[in-house]
Amino acid sequence: QGISLGAGLALGASIKSFVDFEKAMVGVKKTVDPTEEEFRKLTDTAIKMSQELPNSSVEIANLMKTAGQLGISKKGIGEFTRTIIDLSNATNIIGEDGAEKMAKFANVTKMSEADYRKFGSSIVDLGNNFATTEQDILDMSTRLGASAKMAGLSVPDILGLSTAMTSVGISAEEGGSAMTKVINYMQTAIVDTSKTGQEHLEALAKVTGKTTEEFKESFKNNATGTLQEVINGFQ
């Protein structure tokens, strides 16, 4: 009887897990509106991940649903979900919060779906080699993303800048806001042809020891390096 009861409990738990997974995948389907073939592939992807990782198929499906709600495409949702799960398992970046921030960063920087895993690996590598955490790097990158991308900084540039700032104890809330203002100021000074704009451009060029034309050319070709020169010039 004990053996039968144990087997029955195990079977009951398995059935509940299956039902929960089915419900979670229905949520994915409603969110991303896939074709039947696409839905089958998403289901297979979730099951395969649950066999390779210490995460349940329900948890994986729920993250897929979150990814869809955040605007990740049907094609990229598997890679995005795998990246978030790997980050959650290896760093202090947590599930849905990490997914929300990474999706926001990916959207504003127009990150390619093929680069999700590379992005995750870069954050882990930076967190392991500098006096900061992966969560802090992601937080700062998300804060800087839109203005930095508009100014011409690449994703590696933004990650590098975020790592440098958080490594010296600058918080995303304060540092992100301040650096965004600096980047916007530089960007505006370069494109603003009014007298005020030209005065701002001349001031920035003077700080770096360049002419206005040299400053514009430097910013165009190496925005990160030029930003560093401006910051150094004010110290």
Side-chain angles (χ1 to χ4, degrees), residues 125-197:
D125 186 55
L126 291 168
N128 287 339
N129 289 284
F130 293 89
T132 184
T133 71
E134 295 83 0
Q135 180 68 61
D136 287 339
I137 295 170
L138 180 58
D139 286 349
M140 185 69 81
S141 297
T142 303
R143 290 267 182 172
L144 298 177
S147 59
K149 181 66 176 179
M150 189 176 296
L153 274 68
S154 66
V155 169
D157 287 338
I158 298 170
L159 287 176
L161 179 59
S162 297
T163 301
M165 292 174 68
T166 56
S167 291
V168 294
I170 300 174
S171 69
E173 291 77 11
E174 296 177 355
S177 176
M179 186 57 69
T180 294
K181 289 177 181 177
V182 172
I183 294 172
N184 288 341
Y185 180 85
M186 292 172 63
Q187 180 75 5
T188 301
I190 287 174
V191 300
D192 186 357
T193 57
S194 70
K195 181 181 178 181
T196 300

Side-chain angles (χ1 to χ4, degrees), residues 71-98:
I72 303 301
S73 73
K74 290 178 282 188
K75 183 179 178 182
I77 203 168
E79 281 294 287
F80 181 89
T81 301
R82 177 62 186 255
T83 300
I84 291 298
I85 289 175
D86 285 345
L87 285 171
S88 296
N89 289 336
T91 74
N92 63 336
I93 294 173
I94 306 299
E96 291 191 7
D97 178 67

